Every structure is written in structure tokens, then in C-alpha cells.
Amino acid sequence: MENEAVRLYIIARALLNLGSHYLNGSDGGHPGMKDGYKGRNVKLAERGGYDEVALHTATWSDKSCTGRCTNVGGDELGPKNKAVEDYCKKNLDAGLDPKIWQPFEGNLYPRRYLEKKTSTIYVGEDCRNVRHFDCISFVNWVLGTSLQKSFQYSIVQYEGKKSGSGVIAPVKTYKAPFNDLQNADILTNIKWEHKDNKDGKEDDKDWVVDKQHIGFYMAGGKVIEASGAKVGVIISDYKQSDWTGMSRIKDSYLKFGA
């Protein structure tokens, strides 16, 4: 019964973060607060002007958050791009600091992928006071804060494979088909790519991760996941074909802080 209660608690922690934004490399922190799982400093960009617009936009390393965005176009100015240009010009002409610009529409602000110098404009949610995750940091943050233990594992480790340090996550792994799924089971999807064999021997070192994803199973045929820039943390429908691995936290770890 205790294990079931802990599983429900993990799911409840995950659900509390629905609507959080997706930012590759972030660890669950609010911009400027260093309160993520690893204390990474997710920053906030405040730049005005159509050429380099970024209002209330979380950034990490060379990435910027699109704020569960709507993509409004690239090089050519469509109707909404022209509206963004007019919005920026109006605020600049009024001499307003970008920090106090009113939303472009609703709670949405224009932004770009700053460091990539892309011409594409996105209209996304205000990043202030919002947690920022990628898929693996979401799983680690939820487990770590729920169980009060260190969870800093990779997707490969959750699928039961050793990292360079020889570590595997404290889980029991299962092969498809995944029957009898339970709350807080961990779903993984890893696509491997074969690289050139330099030593003439076929072994695990000849394979590298091409694409990968991770999320939590929730009873009722659902998945809670940090799904990407346009949607952030969401509940989606479970499809077994979407996942290559499933693992379950070992019973010895399913204790409240023990």
C-alpha cells in the first residue's frame, strides 16, 4: 500500500507542473532564481526591437524558450509578422523599456531563438514565474523532489544501460509488450544510430543515440511528459508503439525520504 501511495504522490508532483515550459538543457528552474534540480541559472532575456525581439524569454546556454509558442513565420513578413514589427516600433517610439512592454496579445510576447540568429518569430507565453524543463530533467526533478533522493540519470540509464561511469538508474526494466503498467512507470524512447566501425569488431561502442525521449505513465492510459517547445509539459495518450523501453523504480526507493 505504501508503494502505491508513493506512486500516486509522484504522479501528483508531475501534474503540478502541467503547463511548464520546455527549454532544452534546463533543470526545472524559474528564470533568474537558480532553483532547478541542479541549480542551473536559467536567465531572462529582455530585448526590444523587431530584429532581435525577446520579451520575458527564458534562456539557457545557446537556447531560448519559445513559451509554448505559435510560430508566426520566417523571413517574409506575413500579416502577424507585420503586426509584431508595428508592435515593436510603437513601443520603441514611446521610449519604453522592454521589461514593461504590454503583451503582444493575451499573455503572449514575441521572441526568436536569439543565439541561433533565426529570422523566425514565435509568439509565446511569458516565461517569468514558470518552471522550465526538458524531458529528462522533468523526470529527474519529479522523482528527486518526490522521494528526496538524488536522481540525475540519463534516458539511456533509465532504459537499463550503463553510462560511461558504469551506472544504471535504480529501476527494474521491462521489454515490450509492456503489460500491467502502473502509475509512475518510466517510459523511454531511444533511437540508436550505427556509426563507422573503426576497430573491425561489432560492439556497443559502434552505436550512438540519435533521438531520445522520456516520460511518466499515468493510470488510465496517459503519459505525463515534457513534450517540446510548442506544448511544454502535457498529458498525452499512451501508445505502446511510441516507446522502446519501460522501467519501474525499485521498491527500496519508493519511500518518503527514507
Side-chain angles (χ1 to χ4, degrees), residues 37-202:
Y37 194 56
K38 295 184 179 180
R40 292 174 179 165
N41 188 15
V42 179
K43 298 179 181 179
L44 198 68
E46 302 283 10
R47 307 181 190 179
Y50 178 80
D51 291 337
E52 201 177 27
V53 64
L55 301 174
H56 315 319
T57 305
T59 66
W60 163 252
S61 186
D62 63 345
K63 311 292 193 308
S64 59
C65 181
T66 56
R68 301 206 300 169
C69 68
T70 299
N71 181 340
V72 301
D75 292 322
E76 296 183 6
L77 283 180
K80 184 159 283 190
N81 290 56
K82 184 62 168 63
V84 171
E85 185 178 43
D86 292 344
Y87 163 85
C88 292
K89 186 177 186 303
K90 177 181 177 181
N91 284 289
L92 289 171
D93 288 348
L96 298 177
D97 186 318
K99 293 180 181 179
I100 62 172
W101 287 14
Q102 294 300 304
F104 173 69
E105 57 183 37
N107 186 39
L108 305 179
Y109 293 83
R111 71 276 307 279
R112 303 174 189 266
Y113 278 125
L114 303 178
E115 289 75 11
K116 292 186 177 181
K117 306 299 181 184
T118 178
S119 61
T120 301
I121 291 177
Y122 299 85
V123 176
E125 294 174 346
D126 187 340
C127 286
R128 294 172 296 181
N129 302 314
V130 177
R131 288 194 182 276
H132 288 74
F133 297 98
D134 58 19
C135 65
I136 183 60
S137 70
F138 176 65
V139 169
N140 282 330
W141 187 94
V142 170
L143 290 175
T145 56
S146 298
L147 304 176
Q148 297 298 300
K149 295 180 176 68
S150 177
F151 281 84
Q152 297 188 23
Y153 302 102
S154 68
I155 297 175
V156 169
Q157 289 169 307
Y158 278 113
E159 205 167 85
K161 296 178 176 62
K162 292 182 179 180
S163 68
S165 60
V167 175
I168 299 176
V171 297
K172 181 179 180 181
T173 59
Y174 297 80
K175 295 181 178 180
F178 310 129
N179 299 317
D180 190 31
L181 285 164
Q182 300 179 22
N183 274 321
D185 281 346
I186 299 164
L187 299 165
T188 53
N189 185 344
I190 301 180
K191 179 181 178 182
W192 295 89
E193 182 179 87
H194 190 266
K195 63 180 182 178
D196 292 338
N197 187 328
K198 295 181 180 180
D199 58 9
K201 298 178 181 179
E202 186 73 26

